[in-house]
Amino acid sequence: MKPLAVVTGATSGIGRATALRLSGDYEVIGTGRDPSRIADPLPGVSYVALDLGNPESIRLCAEEILARGVPAVLVNNAGESQSGPFEELPREALERLFQVNVIGHVDLTQRLLPAMRAAGRGRVIMIGSMLGSFPLACRSSYVASKAALKGFAFAARSELAPFGVQLSVVEPGSIATGLSQRRTGYVDKRGPYAGEYATMLDRLNRNERSGIAPERVAEEIARAVAARRPRPLYACGSMARVVFPLARLLPLDAMLRLVARKHGP
Ligand SMILES: NC(=O)c1ccc[n+]([C@@H]2O[C@H](COP(=O)([O-])OP(=O)(O)OC[C@H]3O[C@@H](n4cnc5c(N)ncnc54)[C@H](OP(=O)(O)O)[C@@H]3O)[C@@H](O)[C@H]2O)c1
């Protein structure tokens, strides 16, 4: 029997490509908010409902996964992409984003960890974003949610390693998944930030459309999953191989200016 892999948000984009990539070596459970609405389910992948905004849905999803077996791999990929100037972000949007992008994944992972720990093995991959390392204006809530997920992962890594459970973060750059059409945005169109917001969004959407294919991220995730000693952080897209070393050399201020210039006027 193949080991079990769970990929959250497997109905499109990076999650779908990852479920497909892992399905050769693993029995894959993919999640979506409403699996009955998946138009083209992947052969070899079974789907379980998961709404990360709903704690009860997370509990039921974990129960269903554990009824099928102990996951050898958990890819926490599902997420909301949110934009808006810091001053204008509504509290309810912030709460939803942090529930979906951070607390939901922490909750699901906490529910699966005891079984993985008891089995003495497991790989947990948190899908962050390069924006979590390279913050961008008018994306502060999303940047903060991805940085928070990375913080959980980096801190918990050494807690879990003695039990054979390895935790890594994968930060994609711009990936052509159509995410731009699903991004939530909060801005006063006649307010003081409207111009900067529009410019940033235009650049961001252009970058996403011309980004690398989600299959390339799936390959990076598969690399992290298969590594004998998984690294804390993997990244791909948006010239990650150049940008990360460069950021280590530059003063923080210069790095932030470079990111702003890439997305600004
Ligand atoms: N595309 C990029 O440029 C990029 C760059 C950096 C990081 N990322 C990150 O990579 C991950 C995947 O992004 P993607 O581009 O592949 O996006 P996508 O194509 O929009 O896929 C998002 C997935 O998340 C699921 N999802 C959305 N809201 C959810 C919720 N409240 N509860 C449970 N599942 C939910 C969606 O499933 P249903 O709608 O079917 O429920 C879908 O399967 C995200 O975490 C994103 O932040 C993407």
Side-chain angles (χ1 to χ4, degrees):
M1 237 173 65
K2 288 181 188 174
L4 187 63
V6 177
V7 181
T8 69
T11 61
S12 68
I14 295 167
R16 182 178 165 88
T18 303
L20 182 63
R21 174 63 180 77
L22 295 180
S23 64
D25 298 326
Y26 294 88
E27 182 199 333
V28 177
I29 295 179
T31 78
R33 276 170 291 188
D34 184 357
S36 69
R37 293 183 59 189
I38 303 172
D40 47 354
L42 290 166
V45 174
S46 55
Y47 294 89
V48 169
L50 172 66
D51 182 347
L52 287 163
N54 177 348
E56 181 60 5
S57 166
I58 298 170
R59 189 184 69 74
L60 290 173
C61 176
E63 242 177 52
E64 198 165 335
I65 292 166
L66 292 171
R68 305 229 197 142
V70 179
V73 175
L74 168 63
V75 182
N76 285 312
N77 162 76
E80 175 181 334
S81 183
Q82 187 177 96
S83 302
F86 175 83
E87 189 181 323
E88 296 176 7
L89 290 166
R91 184 187 175 93
E92 60 275 18
L94 289 174
E95 286 181 353
R96 187 190 63 245
L97 187 75
F98 272 75
Q99 172 61 39
V100 170
N101 283 10
V102 186
I103 296 169
H105 283 306
V106 171
D107 187 351
L108 180 68
T109 308
Q110 285 175 328
R111 290 175 184 279
L112 301 178
L113 268 179
M116 295 168 91
R117 192 168 40 74
R121 55 137 178 78
R123 298 290 163 102
V124 179
I125 311 288
M126 301 292 198
I127 304 301
S129 163
M130 273 178 68
L131 292 183
S133 292
F134 301 96
L136 176 61
C138 294
R139 306 270 354 244
S140 60
S141 54
Y142 180 76
V143 164
S145 75
K146 293 300 189 180
L149 198 59
K150 182 162 63 176
F152 271 111
F154 283 4
R157 218 175 122 80
S158 63
E159 295 170 24
L160 298 175
F163 301 102
V165 179
Q166 307 286 345
L167 191 42
S168 297
V169 176
V170 174
E171 292 195 333
S174 293
I175 317 298
T177 63
L179 183 69
S180 303
Q181 290 135 45
R182 297 182 281 281
R183 190 173 288 126
T184 49
Y186 300 89
V187 68
D188 176 353
K189 290 207 171 101
R190 283 185 294 223
Y193 305 101
E196 184 182 2
Y197 177 83
T199 307
M200 181 286 298
L201 203 60
D202 183 53
R203 289 280 172 95
L204 192 72
N205 292 346
R206 232 185 305 157
N207 289 345
E208 192 259 290
R209 279 195 302 275
S210 62
I212 61 170
E215 287 72 21
R216 297 261 303 276
V217 188
E219 207 48 58
E220 195 69 10
I221 293 168
R223 204 154 80 89
V225 164
R228 205 163 59 83
R229 287 184 184 191
R231 301 196 312 252
L233 181 66
Y234 295 77
C236 66
S238 300
M239 294 170 51
R241 294 226 161 102
V242 177
V243 171
F244 277 89
L246 186 66
R248 281 193 284 274
L249 298 174
L250 285 177
L252 181 58
D253 210 28
M255 187 272 279
L256 292 173
R257 274 202 308 273
L258 266 182
V259 178
R261 198 178 313 155
K262 185 165 158 44
H263 293 85

